[in-house]
Amino acid sequence: MLKRYLLAPGPTPVPPEVLLAMARPVIHHRAPEFAQLFGEVREDLKWLYQTRNDVLVLAASGTGGMEGAVANFLSPGDKALVVNGGKFGERWGEICKAFGVQVVELKVEWGHAVDPQAVADALKKDPSIKAVYVQASETSTGVAHDTKALGEVVRVREGTILVVDAITALGVFDLPTDAWGLDVVVGGSQKALMLPPGLAFVSVSEKAWGMAEKAKNGAFYFNYKKEREAQIKNQTSYTPAVSMILGLQEVLRMLKAEGLPAIFSRQTRLAQAMREGVKAAGLSLFPKQSPSDALTAISAPDGIDGQAIYRNLRVQYGITAAGGQDHLKGKIFRVSHMGYMDTFDVITALAAIEMVLKGLGHPVRLGSGVAKAQELLMVKS
Ligand SMILES: Cc1ncc(COP(=O)(O)O)c(C=O)c1O
């Protein structure tokens, strides 16, 4: 028997309380019980998002929320500035093109964060840009962009909205939607929200709703205006993922009991211990700046295939992490610490990484990374 550990940057482990909540009998979505459930969940999502705006709940993976965040706000021929610093930045560009939106691409070298001044310059150069698309946490490289600074750049421009993919940021680090002026913020269930894949969340500011009024791109299933009309009545336009919403209710209760500051500091503590442990084991972090607290991207040592590390973690030790994507395939591997994670998830990951590397012939001193994480994570009594 090989015990399984899910340490991939999504899906992430689901707490037993949440699994149990989802195992409850399915309720009918037009029955009063659903409206009551959905009303509670909608309020708690506003708390999580730190917003007064409505947060739409969609039965979709995160990409569904992203698609709607293009289709509902822009018309064919409109211009969007896309920050492309990894696989998910690239996806914003692909979605824009699918809806006939002209893409002004701001390429950022993988492993780096976008320079907010470069965004400001691009908007100044082309005032017709109607939206800026970015990731708060670019999961393919493990880098966090400076969303706060981008909010400052965009909020002063009347005709431009800031659309943030917060799929691996929400519930990991502070991202106050209203205080930072983030117009559209997309989240997903299978990351720090500790749920299986299947729900997307989207908050929309008044400025963005104003843009939606004028947009001519068609969206049927992901029609945010229609969805908003239903959701403010605690209904959904179509059959919602009821069992997932039961799980979400439990997740939000758990998160509220912990409180946002405690959640963020737990996530930071784990991320720091992982990063310091990786370095103490003689390995290098892939991000050149601004590492995301959601996951750690680690460079494979010279002469060792990153895919072999990822594969051996799974096959030899039951740990599902992630490899690199596109040109980073074989060059990096990634380990998540977002969501339902604690001290021994980090220590387990570091121990297994050391064992795999030693097995692959890399001269790592067993326990070097683990000891560092133990020092950082031990409870000082
Ligand atoms: C930053 C980011 N954006 C978008 C996505 C896509 O989400 P999904 O696979 O749920 O459609 C992911 C998933 O890994 C992600 O990490």
Side-chain angles (χ1 to χ4, degrees), residues 247-268:
L248 178 60
Q249 178 186 42
E250 187 59 35
V251 163
L252 289 165
R253 283 179 182 166
M254 288 171 69
L255 294 178
K256 279 185 89 173
E258 189 174 4
L260 290 178
I263 294 167
F264 301 147
S265 70
R266 173 170 54 83
Q267 296 283 345
T268 300

Side-chain angles (χ1 to χ4, degrees), residues 108-159:
V108 178
E109 197 187 331
W110 289 32
H112 292 257
V114 68
D115 176 3
Q117 189 55 46
V119 173
D121 292 346
L123 292 177
K124 207 163 167 193
K125 196 166 148 210
D126 191 344
S128 69
I129 290 171
K130 289 203 171 150
V132 176
Y133 289 92
V134 71
Q135 271 61 40
S137 164
E138 172 53 78
T139 320
S140 62
T141 61
V143 168
H145 292 300
D146 186 349
T147 313
K148 182 180 186 193
L150 296 177
E152 281 161 21
V153 167
V154 179
R155 76 190 312 168
V156 294
R157 305 188 72 93
E158 229 170 77

Side-chain angles (χ1 to χ4, degrees), residues 9 61-63 66 88 91 135 137 139 165 167-168 190-191:
S61 83
T63 307
M66 293 171 76
F88 296 105
R91 186 166 301 175
Q135 271 61 40
S137 164
T139 320
D165 164 359
I167 291 172
T168 55
Q190 78 277 24
K191 311 284 183 175

